[in-house]
Amino acid sequence: MSIPSASFGIALQTFAALLWLPQAALLAWVAQRLAAGQAGLDWLALIGGSFLVLALARAAADAWGVRLSYARARAQVGERRRAGLRALAGASPFDARRVAAGAAASALAEQAEAITPYLTRYRAARVKVQVVPLALAAAVACVSWLAALILVFTAPLIPIFMALVGWRAQAASEAHLRELGSLNAYVLDRLRGLASLRGLGALAYTRRRLRALSQSLRIRTMAVLRIAFLSSAVLELFSALGVALVAVYVGFHLLGQLPFGAWGASLSLGQGVFVLLLAPAFFEPLRELASVWHDRAAGEAGEAALAALGREVLPLPGGASAAAPAAGARVPPEVRLDAVSFAYPGHASAPLREFSLELAAGGHLAITGDSGAGKSTLLALVAGLLAPDSGRVLIQGETLHGANAARLRARMAWVGQRPHFFAATLGGNVRLGRPGVDAAAVRRALGLAHLDLVAERRGAARLGEGAAGLSGGEAVRLAIARAAADPACDLILADEPTAHLDRATADAVIDSLLALGEGRTLLVATHDPRLVARLGCSVELADPAPRAEAA
């Protein structure tokens, strides 16, 4: 079912506000008849029934309009969230400018929620401010031109002061949301490294830092609230002043002290009541706008936070789409880099310049070199996680580019330095919901990675988020098992698989990695001389423009 446009819901709310005009006219007519002693039960019942019908129509139109505006706002917020997720998924994981996970989660969850009140209430209030006061002022002018002038000249004071307050409110809201995102990012980062912080004795410092950040967030929150209350106070002051001036004029006019301001004659009691009933309603849209002014500042800051998720990022070639590899017998691919150059944005030095490499089908090769030489960048280029500035990356003779990157990545497996695991069983982390990976494939993969005994011991016990409950070596071997379970995988890319492991554990990881590489093409970035020796062939990234061949 399609959701009507937001304009229709806003039009209903504006129509509901304008229905006060006939209601006020009915009340004024009743007051005039009662003052003239012309009361009658028959017409009182008619007037009462008409007033009740108008009240019900007004309530129904307003409720329907709010409901439609809310539904449309939720749909728009959902679309903005999806766009933010697409931007995150479509950015290269090697982009140093990517938004931190905690800040991204804050933008998608908390800050995006601030957009709903902005779309639901602020836009409707803005339209009503443009329509309802003009209609009410025109109705008042038909009775008293002076009362209409009072309303028209006092009304601009409210938006002028609201604009002055609003500039500060928007700046305070943006600072508050930035502080909230920074706090979320800090908490998530420290939770991930809690074991390291405990081992280094840095928990006390982390507590002090977290307390300081929370206090800063509290101060910014109170600043936003102070501005919100100030804007409401400014509006109440000037709206009360305008209503009071109209009431004073009408009262003295009816007493004969101010016999001017009407169209050629004195106002009757009914006309005075009509003007007095419309005066507060004239300022009501302005009061509503002030009450949602903070929603505007928070909503625009939330939209900016979502838009920032996809701003100035390195795109992931082929996006985040998944493509199934072609069915049939598979052969390990040949990998070739032809004069590839790449530099990260904002960095003067390029990790790779005119780099060429040939790795035969089914070959095993180690990429060595100092830290920062470009080993991980080279793997990312082969995996299609980065696009080269110049040159070509060829997989089985096919140049890797945005149109085929997803399809070619489907035949690759990445064993990174910090593989991510979910709060699930060992088997679940190997299977990952892939349709071609059944229970037998999971058992074989765990056996290849020498994790069968670990799986038997743990049974159906779930891992903690981030592989909590596994040692470093077991986590790397679980990543190897994840790759081994995929029958379509014939190109293995491993980035420092033995880093930070003791010798015995590293040997076990090397055994599992070489078992995985049997019958597959294997490209490994490493500092480990034992792994280099076991692979039998290596290329060192030292020369700015090296050229190497490996069989």
Side-chain angles (χ1 to χ4, degrees):
M1 178 180 178
S2 62
I3 300 175
S5 66
S7 301
F8 183 63
I10 293 174
L12 283 174
Q13 296 178 67
T14 305
F15 173 73
L18 291 174
L19 283 179
W20 177 243
L21 267 172
Q23 285 184 289
L26 288 174
L27 291 175
W29 192 60
V30 169
Q32 183 66 37
R33 295 293 295 268
L34 289 175
Q38 299 175 353
L41 294 179
D42 51 349
W43 62 267
L44 281 177
L46 177 62
I47 295 300
S50 300
F51 187 87
L52 180 60
V53 169
L54 287 173
L56 292 175
R58 184 182 181 189
D62 187 66
W64 188 18
V66 170
R67 185 180 181 88
L68 291 179
S69 297
Y70 179 79
R72 186 65 181 177
R74 294 305 303 175
Q76 292 177 347
V77 171
E79 179 55 37
R80 284 172 168 82
R81 277 189 168 127
R82 286 189 289 271
L85 286 171
R86 286 194 296 268
L88 289 174
S92 172
F94 284 80
D95 188 359
R97 299 171 300 176
R98 281 170 59 96
V99 179
S106 176
L108 291 169
E110 296 167 306
Q111 298 178 35
E113 282 301 312
I115 303 176
T116 301
Y118 165 59
L119 297 177
T120 303
R121 299 189 296 184
Y122 172 76
R123 290 186 174 179
R126 185 180 61 185
V127 172
K128 283 193 281 187
V129 162
Q130 297 170 350
V131 175
V132 176
L134 293 178
L136 297 184
V140 171
C142 294
V143 177
S144 171
W145 57 267
L146 183 57
L149 284 178
I150 293 174
L151 294 177
V152 169
F153 278 103
T154 55
L157 296 175
I158 296 174
I160 290 174
F161 282 91
M162 285 301 302
L164 295 176
V165 175
W167 291 334
R168 179 58 183 161
Q170 182 171 359
S173 294
E174 291 176 352
H176 172 260
L177 291 179
R178 284 196 302 269
E179 193 77 20
L180 182 62
S182 298
L183 178 61
N184 287 336
Y186 182 84
V187 171
L188 181 59
D189 181 66
R190 295 313 182 269
L191 287 176
R192 286 173 172 172
L194 190 59
S196 299
L197 292 173
R198 184 181 293 111
L200 295 173
L203 290 179
Y205 171 80
T206 302
R207 282 196 299 269
R208 290 193 300 269
R209 177 63 176 161
L210 183 59
R211 186 179 298 111
L213 287 174
S214 62
Q215 287 299 316
S216 176
L217 178 63
R218 181 187 64 82
I219 292 172
R220 293 191 182 278
T221 302
M222 296 307 297
V224 173
L225 291 177
R226 281 198 304 270
I227 295 173
F229 286 128
L230 175 62
S231 63
S232 298
V234 168
L235 176 67
E236 292 294 337
L237 172 64
F238 288 105
S239 62
L241 179 63
V243 173
L245 289 174
V246 172
V248 168
Y249 162 72
V250 171
F252 279 101
H253 182 90
L254 293 177
L255 292 174
Q257 300 298 317
L258 297 174
F260 55 87
W263 296 103
S266 298
L267 295 176
S268 65
L269 177 63
Q271 290 174 326
V273 170
F274 181 68
V275 171
L276 290 176
L277 288 174
L278 292 187
F282 176 86
F283 292 100
E284 185 61 31
L286 294 169
R287 297 176 63 187
E288 183 180 352
L289 181 65
S291 67
V292 299
W293 195 258
H294 173 67
D295 293 336
R296 168 188 172 272
E300 290 182 347
E303 287 185 330
L306 287 179
L309 295 179
R311 189 179 300 138
E312 294 184 356
V313 296
L314 278 174
L316 177 67
S321 59
R330 304 302 304 273
V331 295
E334 175 193 13
V335 177
R336 185 158 63 93
L337 279 70
D338 186 8
V340 169
S341 297
F342 178 82
Y344 289 98
H347 290 71
S349 61
L352 294 175
R353 287 194 181 98
E354 299 294 327
F355 182 83
S356 296
L357 171 72
E358 294 182 7
L359 178 59
H364 295 178
L365 176 65
I367 304 296
T368 64
D370 297 334
S371 297
K375 300 186 298 298
S376 298
T377 301
L378 188 150
L379 293 183
L381 290 167
V382 174
L385 302 178
L386 293 172
D389 297 331
S390 62
R392 297 184 303 162
V393 177
L394 297 97
I395 308 295
Q396 198 66 17
E398 183 177 0
T399 301
L400 191 151
H401 48 75
N404 62 6
R407 175 172 55 82
L408 293 177
R409 275 198 297 265
R411 64 188 302 179
M412 304 178 191
W414 182 281
V415 181
Q417 298 182 38
R418 294 179 296 273
H420 182 78
F421 300 102
F422 301 94
T425 63
L426 280 178
N429 273 286
V430 172
R431 186 177 296 109
L432 293 179
R434 292 174 289 187
V437 181
D438 54 15
V442 170
R443 286 193 299 270
R444 288 193 300 269
L446 290 172
L448 179 142
H450 306 292
L451 287 174
D452 43 358
L453 295 180
V454 177
E456 183 180 348
R457 183 177 68 251
R458 294 187 63 89
R462 298 165 65 88
L463 297 177
E465 188 74 20
L470 293 181
S471 66
E474 289 173 340
V476 176
R477 283 185 285 153
L478 184 56
I480 293 174
R482 179 182 287 175
D486 188 356
C489 168
D490 50 19
L491 173 57
I492 311 298
L493 306 174
D495 187 11
E496 299 286 0
T498 60
H500 314 300
L501 300 179
D502 61 81
R503 181 161 187 167
T505 305
D507 289 339
V509 168
I510 292 173
D511 292 338
S512 299
L513 184 64
L514 293 179
L516 172 64
E518 290 184 5
R520 295 181 172 97
T521 303
L522 178 61
L523 187 60
V524 182
T526 183
H527 285 102
D528 190 343
R530 289 168 297 159
L531 178 54
V532 174
R534 295 283 297 273
L535 290 172
C537 189
S538 65
V539 170
E540 183 176 2
L541 293 182
D543 190 334
R547 180 175 182 85
E549 295 187 2

